[in-house]
Amino acid sequence: MSPASTGASAVAGAESLVPVTDSRMSPGGPGYRRMSFALFLAGVATFALLYSTQALLPLISGDFGVAASEASWTVAAATGGLALFVLPMSALSERFGRRTVMTGSLAVAVTVGLLVPFAPSITALVVLRAVQGAALAGLPASATAYLAEEVRPKALVTAIGLFVAGNSVGGMSGRIITGWVAQEWGWRVALGVIGAIAVACAVAFRLLLPAPRHFAAGSLRPRVLVRTVREHLANPLLCRLYAIGALFMTVFGGVYTVIGYRLTEAPFSLPQGVIGSIFLVYLVGTVSASTAGRLVGRLGRRGALYLAGGTTTAGLVVSLAPSLPLVLLGLVLITAGFFAGHAVASSAVSKTATTGRAQASALYQSAYYIGSSAGSTVGALAFHAGGWAGTVGVGLLAVLGVVTITVIGSHAARTVAVGQPA
């Protein structure tokens, strides 16, 4: 070999050792803060709109002259619309791009949000809320995929955490703001204020979110999507996790849909603004969700689910007391147990699905929001029939379902461990 060829080989070898620069975003890098703040605002807008009527249900019932079970459909329709459309929206984002789908979703949702305060009847209000929920499905379907493509892996958990923080802040602040505004000016003005806030968040989101640089459009192939979904639904562990997420959300949706009715009645008779502030309890959930990883490390996934179910059960029982401090303690325990259980189940879905993770996550979100719709509706019907004890009974049955499914999972794991078919 000639010196020249040897030198060329050495140079080529040296070049192959030079690390390829990762052009994706990372903390401190260009565009990262803009991207993080944009998705935070998208999360705020999404969950402020999605649950905007929940703290206002007693006022909506009074205005339209309907029972709690009918007014609760203004929540159930929105979460149900999201549950039905999250999977199709995830497919659209694969073809047309994450930013495009998120922008379109927010545009439709905030437009409907400006129409909602003018709903002439409970039926019109429910229909508008269903359309709004279906539109909002584009956000959870696309946001995590956008982050996975545009953010470096080491920064991904932090970036997703900021988006989730926006979700919790939006859900909490939307309920608190509507409660205090409605106390002074009524529920229609309160929903108008939320709509205006969502418009501002949507505009800022579109202006701030960097254009995608790593998105590769795919084709809309229904057969591929159907095959992937069928494979996930044939996985017993994934199905158990979907059911656990739905059942935990049934408890949570029922409790927080009905709690306003209970607190407006004797012996509490709280004003609307104070009832809205009850949703500050959500901060407890933020803490419990963040510690779920450590719980799994100490107790295992099933141990953490048992603890979450036990905490939720204790909260439901304590909330039966005719004492405001004990009711608040019950809400704290229910919220802590729910968020911990949800965090454990949702993270287990991502670890379990080795292929088609976007569809696996979308199926979990569908089950989760179906649980929210079911909890809102059935919890309100139970309250109408048997008061708060009826709603608690529905919650206890749902937790019993969580524990039963977890026991089945434990048995399946043991049979697999000894080489028997699970």
Side-chain angles (χ1 to χ4, degrees), residues 194-208:
I194 291 299
I197 292 172
V199 168
C201 288
V203 171
F205 160 81
R206 185 60 181 82
L207 293 175
L208 290 172

Side-chain angles (χ1 to χ4, degrees), residues 4 36 69 85 106 108 113 126 169 225 255 307 399 408:
S36 298
S69 56
F85 279 84
L106 273 180
V108 174
V126 169
V169 169
L225 178 63
V255 165
L307 179 60
V399 176
I408 292 171

Side-chain angles (χ1 to χ4, degrees), residues 378-395:
V378 178
L381 286 170
F383 181 78
H384 181 71
W388 181 250
T391 302
V392 167
V394 170

Side-chain angles (χ1 to χ4, degrees), residues 201 246 302 372 415 422:
C201 288
R302 287 180 289 276
S372 177
T415 56

